[in-house]
Amino acid sequence: MNHNIIIVGVGGQGTLLASKLLGRVFMDLGLDVKVSEVHGMSQRGGSVITYVRAGEKVYSPIIAEGEADIIISFEQLESARWLSYLKKGGTLVSNTQQIDPMPVITGAAVYPERVLERIANLGVSIVAADALSLAAEAGNVKSVNVVLLGIAAKYMGLPEQVWQDAITATVPAKFLEANRRAFTLGYNYEA
Amino acid sequence: MKELLIGNAAIARGLYEAGCKVVSSYPGTPSTEITEFAAEYPELYAEWAPNEKVACEVAIGASIAGARAFCAMKHVGLNVAADPLYTASYTGVSGGLVIGVADDPGMFSSQNEQDTRRHAIGAKLPVLEPSDSEECLAFTKLAFELSEAFDTPVILRITTRVAHSRNPVELSDRVEVPNKPYEKNPQKYVMMPAMAKVRHEFVEERQKKLAAYGADCPFNRVEMADTKIGVITSGISYQYVKEALGDRASVLKLGLTNPLPDSLILDFAAKVDKLYVVEELEDIIESRCRALGLDVIGKEIFSLCGEYSHAMVKKAILGEEAESVAFPEAIPGRPPVLCPGCPHRGLYYALKQAKVYVSGDIGCYTLGALAPLSSVDACVCMGASISGLHGFNKAEGDKNFDKVVAVIGDSTFIHSGVTGLINIAYNKGISTVIVLDNSITGMTGHQQNPTTGITLKGDPTAAVDLEALARAVGIPNVRVVDPNELEATAAVIKEELARPEPSLIISRRPCALLKTVKHAPPLSVDADTCRGCKACMKIGCPAISIRGGKAVVDATLCVGCGVCTQLCRFDAFKTREAR
């Protein structure tokens, strides 16, 4: 079975670490893996998308519209922006956090209302969580990425231990405990 | 042992395993990490050069000395390095010489979409195009062998998706390659007309040999499946073709894309019913096919612009598309922004207030072109801010000199701004140039440069003294400002613009993302004091927004730089202590 997972957010939110961790999980399971990252200009607070693919053999490092099994979104507006990448019957795991983009800050555009509710109304299966609060509860507000991975992990059907091992291998020792807690809080989260 | 590596890290590993000794590069997305990872191997000498021309020449010199040498750059960097490279094609090599060039289809972080293969054709150099991280490592190693076997520099061409995609790579040990002994050979290495004429003939012969080699080499391969569709492809496009078409097409995968292997192409074409070429950017393979008289489908169903995907291939060749849902409303864009606490913000605010024409340059500070600062009026290439401003002033007969400035970062100034500054001094210019000195190369992710006093390997070293440099080249007025002090900065800009002679203003404050920078606690807004006048919104700080008619500060983003407090007439911004 192929896994097609997209991670979207705002540059600086930690999407890159999440994709690295996810790639590691799949590699530890003996699968072929491709992770496509964005570096450079787009990281300066811009909209960021990272693709993670795994399976027997993976060719393309990117995922096209209508192909993602899961979208892990770090921000509501980004959930809306990349929604078309979700396949029919796929799951959107979305943080409820809202970060105004510059056109909204300057008044040139308006942040859409009730974003997640309207996505749900389209018949999309959606798991919304206040990952920022959960990260704070875990002891590190920067562990939003691992909280969201924890939530998404439930929908991937992979053993929990392989996640914990990948966290141990990827996260610096100083932040390890908070990130382990963050993952567990996400994994046990009930929408 | 397998590791999950991005293409750039795999190339660095390839350099290590191939026994490469000298690496000299200038950073540029998407090529930067190659050299950063190379620097982590103690066996490799690795450095940041001031620009790609210098870097390329360092690598050429190391090759002449007999060592395996490498140089990395982004596509536009090759324009800067083209001068030495076109002639290094004539001299050939002693130790293997590989030039890594990263193209950026889709322009994730670039000012144009040029195709490096055009330069390779011009310089008559072989081009290797890996399709994933495994090939990045393998091709890097083979590139050195190819270079030495054919007496030629080799271009290793990657694109953003190859550079920044991560996949499992099998690692091997390093094989030390001793330097070839240096032998004096002016016929080969001194390119004066008499010698160069002979070497040009050699280059043309080499081209023929490389083309013949391409018909049967480890870089090119045929994957036969259904023969109704045949696709010739290379680089990342190969992955898209395989993903989209699987066994429904036969594929000729080209890893050596200059010179192209005519016989291999003709053989493959004869075996398939319908022939396609799938290649990002320029129609290089396609044009060759047409020149060979083949009936081929290419750019008429694909594009010369942007990056491709497997979905694009599927739709163009098979007419198949995946179903998808879309959000039922236009979604506001989220362009990249200057970070909270960015020292460029205060400077651009001062320039906007001064209502000047800003001749811009390449770096984070190009983002000053976007609303609400909207300050930058032109941006062409590295260094063009200064030389372009001089031309702008000369065109106006040096009349409106108090209305125009150039802005350029510290690293970009060293890269190619300093020559423009010398031009201003030498040719009696009157321009005001502002160096945005944030003590690092910012946009590419914090690389050291000749102004920082630290090498790529992290050792302390000489640092360029910008003030002394400006005076030494003949700039009479040199000022230093802290851009976070808005009034003082505005005053200095006004004074220097008023002078009918050249000035250099150094806007000096380290990048807010540097780990060595200590930040003040986040600010907050006293809602009772805030009148909702939105004066603070003019600086485009991502940490400030308006909620319910009042300004609010996002404490997770704010670094307490205090630029906003200088704009508030009502003193509504409070530090934590003041609350």
Side-chain angles (χ1 to χ4, degrees), chain A residues 35 37 44 67 78 118, chain B residues 161 166 310 329 334 337:
Chain A
V35 180
E37 305 168 355
R44 299 282 173 279
E67 289 183 352
E78 299 311 308
R118 287 160 73 193
Chain B
R161 285 293 171 201
R166 195 176 287 279
H310 54 273
E329 184 184 317
R334 191 184 297 276
V337 292

Side-chain angles (χ1 to χ4, degrees), chain A residues 60 62-64 67, chain B residues 240 243-244 308-315:
Chain A
S60 173
I62 61 175
I63 295 166
E67 289 183 352
Chain B
Y240 298 147
E243 187 77 37
Y308 288 7
S309 67
H310 54 273
M312 188 182 188
V313 174
K314 208 168 197 171
K315 191 179 174 193

Side-chain angles (χ1 to χ4, degrees), chain A residues 85-118:
Chain A
Y85 283 72
L86 198 64
K87 75 173 186 195
K88 223 177 159 183
T91 303
L92 169 67
V93 173
S94 180
N95 191 2
T96 54
Q97 197 177 349
Q98 292 191 13
I99 301 173
D100 284 355
M102 199 47 71
V104 171
I105 290 177
T106 61
V110 177
Y111 198 106
E113 289 183 359
R114 302 177 292 110
V115 170
L116 297 184
E117 188 188 320
R118 287 160 73 193

Side-chain angles (χ1 to χ4, degrees), chain B residues 445-519:
Chain B
H446 285 179
Q447 288 72 36
Q448 302 297 339
N449 68 55
T451 70
T452 65
I454 301 170
T455 68
L456 166 60
K457 294 264 188 180
D459 300 322
T461 185
V464 172
D465 179 337
L466 291 174
E467 292 92 316
L469 182 149
R471 287 191 193 98
V473 304
I475 304 295
N477 313 296
V478 181
R479 308 283 296 272
V480 179
V481 298
D482 175 350
N484 279 14
E485 292 173 10
L486 298 181
E487 263 181 45
T489 300
V492 168
I493 291 171
K494 196 174 173 190
E495 283 166 34
E496 294 311 316
L497 280 173
R499 287 184 214 270
E501 50 185 29
S503 303
L504 185 83
I505 302 172
I506 300 167
S507 172
R508 181 168 286 150
R509 178 172 272 269
C511 172
L513 297 182
L514 281 172
K515 291 208 170 76
T516 47
V517 170
K518 296 277 170 275
H519 292 300

